[in-house]
Amino acid sequence: PMATLFIAVLPAIFEELAFRGLIFGWLLKVLRPMETVIVTAAIFAILHLNLASFVHLLVIGLALGLVRLRSGSVYPGMILHFTHNFLCILTEYYWSAPHGH
């Protein structure tokens, strides 16, 4: 439950409010919509400070930006972000669990 809260729920809320809420809204005033999606995705990937996951984070950032652009809301992105992170938790749990149990 704590992993779900700290790895899936809270990042989905706060990262989406920051990246696809505030930053997206500010950049949309000075950039074209697709440029805004690309720049926010790049910032999202860079600020995670994980070179090994950079491409993965860039792709999820692009998807989240497109969802924000198409829907006009941060809420669908929060759901997608939560789902992505929760699936990462489940994958890690099942890959690291002892086999045969």
Side-chain angles (χ1 to χ4, degrees):
M2 294 306 286
T4 300
L5 177 66
F6 288 108
I7 297 172
V9 175
L10 294 178
I13 295 169
F14 291 106
E15 289 181 5
E16 289 312 303
L17 287 174
F19 291 102
R20 264 63 64 178
L22 293 172
I23 296 169
F24 194 96
W26 293 332
L27 289 176
L28 202 52
K29 293 177 182 178
V30 296
L31 299 175
R32 293 183 178 109
M34 284 308 297
E35 292 171 336
T36 298
V37 169
I38 293 166
V39 170
T40 55
I43 294 169
F44 177 76
I46 292 166
L47 289 181
H48 274 83
L49 301 174
N50 187 339
L51 187 58
S53 294
F54 179 82
V55 173
H56 170 86
L57 291 165
L58 183 64
V59 170
I60 193 71
L62 290 168
L64 291 165
L66 288 171
V67 167
R68 165 65 170 84
L69 184 64
R70 304 283 177 169
S71 71
S73 172
V74 296
Y75 297 115
M78 284 181 186
I79 294 167
L80 178 61
H81 197 144
F82 166 81
T83 302
H84 168 267
N85 288 1
F86 188 68
L87 289 172
C88 289
I89 293 169
L90 290 179
T91 300
E92 181 68 26
Y93 175 78
Y94 285 108
W95 277 3
S96 65
H99 296 289
H101 294 239

